[in-house]
Amino acid sequence: MRSTTRAQGSGLRARPTLYALSLQLSALVSLLTAAACGSPPAVDHSKVFTPAHRTVGDAARDFFAIRPAVVQPIPFPHKTHIAKKAVCADCHDSADKGPIAGIPSVKTCMICHSQIATDKPLIKQVTAYSEKGVEIPWQRVYGFTREAHVHFNHAPHIRASVDCATCHGDVANQTVAERAVDHNMGFCVNCHKTKNASNDCLTCHF
């Protein structure tokens, strides 16, 4: 009778020991599996499109198309250049060729300003960029957000004789370019109706 009791007692003690061993074995298998497979590659979220916003404020600003005023490295005087009979295509020379109007390189500026107004403080700043071989970091004033899924092409608008001021405002009377026109869907749809252009979704969203 005593030997039976003793055996039962040892069995009771063995059960929690086996259970603990099984947990340890399971943990070891998990560790070995993780080590063998390796951790998943890091994801660069800046390259992944998502409609999510980091903050409620960011979401509200995007929804109401509120954007901060653009600060340029040099206060480029559009008004002065237009008064000197310069035209938009002199600096934005790819507007009639494809989607992007283009921002002039410092070499384009120096075509004129290696000889003209070289003593002016602003021109000296431009010359300094040129001598360093560094492009002027102009900041974009207009442009659609990624969430809009709009693929805007300047060239067909130029061919349709759409004046630059229609979309960019009266730049001829601006010093530094400012966002004067809200490029929302209503603006674009109404313009297309006026010009008898297609308003099919795939015209702009593709």
Side-chain angles (χ1 to χ4, degrees), residues 17 52 72 81 127 158 183:
T17 304
Q72 301 293 358
H81 288 75
T127 303
I158 299 297
H183 294 166

Short mmCIF file of all heavy atoms in Angstrom, two decimals, residues 17 52 72 81 127 158 183:
data_model
loop_
_atom_site.label_atom_id
_atom_site.label_comp_id
_atom_site.label_asym_id
_atom_site.label_seq_id
_atom_site.Cartn_x
_atom_site.Cartn_y
_atom_site.Cartn_z
N THR A 17 6.60 18.87 -13.85
CA THR A 17 7.95 18.92 -14.41
C THR A 17 7.90 18.72 -15.91
O THR A 17 8.55 19.42 -16.68
CB THR A 17 8.84 17.84 -13.76
OG1 THR A 17 8.83 18.02 -12.36
CG2 THR A 17 10.26 17.93 -14.27
N ALA A 52 -3.63 57.59 -45.05
CA ALA A 52 -3.60 57.96 -43.63
C ALA A 52 -2.74 59.20 -43.40
O ALA A 52 -1.86 59.52 -44.20
CB ALA A 52 -3.07 56.79 -42.80
N GLN A 72 10.85 80.87 -50.68
CA GLN A 72 11.89 80.61 -51.68
C GLN A 72 13.27 81.02 -51.16
O GLN A 72 13.38 81.96 -50.37
CB GLN A 72 11.58 81.36 -52.98
CG GLN A 72 10.26 81.01 -53.62
CD GLN A 72 10.20 79.58 -54.15
OE1 GLN A 72 11.17 78.83 -54.09
NE2 GLN A 72 9.04 79.20 -54.67
N HIS A 81 10.83 90.43 -64.47
CA HIS A 81 11.21 89.70 -65.68
C HIS A 81 10.14 89.84 -66.77
O HIS A 81 10.48 89.99 -67.96
CB HIS A 81 11.46 88.23 -65.36
CG HIS A 81 12.73 88.01 -64.61
ND1 HIS A 81 12.86 88.29 -63.28
CD2 HIS A 81 13.95 87.52 -65.02
CE1 HIS A 81 14.09 88.00 -62.88
NE2 HIS A 81 14.77 87.54 -63.91
N THR A 127 24.68 84.03 -58.58
CA THR A 127 26.06 83.76 -59.04
C THR A 127 26.79 82.87 -58.05
O THR A 127 27.57 81.98 -58.45
CB THR A 127 26.82 85.09 -59.21
OG1 THR A 127 26.12 85.92 -60.14
CG2 THR A 127 28.23 84.84 -59.74
N ILE A 158 -1.13 73.67 -73.10
CA ILE A 158 -0.46 74.71 -73.89
C ILE A 158 -0.97 74.65 -75.33
O ILE A 158 -1.26 75.68 -75.96
CB ILE A 158 1.07 74.53 -73.86
CG1 ILE A 158 1.61 74.64 -72.43
CG2 ILE A 158 1.75 75.53 -74.79
CD1 ILE A 158 1.41 75.99 -71.79
N HIS A 183 -6.57 74.49 -57.20
CA HIS A 183 -6.76 73.44 -58.20
C HIS A 183 -7.60 72.30 -57.64
O HIS A 183 -7.11 71.18 -57.44
CB HIS A 183 -5.39 72.91 -58.67
CG HIS A 183 -4.59 73.92 -59.40
ND1 HIS A 183 -3.25 73.78 -59.69
CD2 HIS A 183 -4.94 75.13 -59.94
CE1 HIS A 183 -2.81 74.83 -60.34
NE2 HIS A 183 -3.81 75.66 -60.50
#
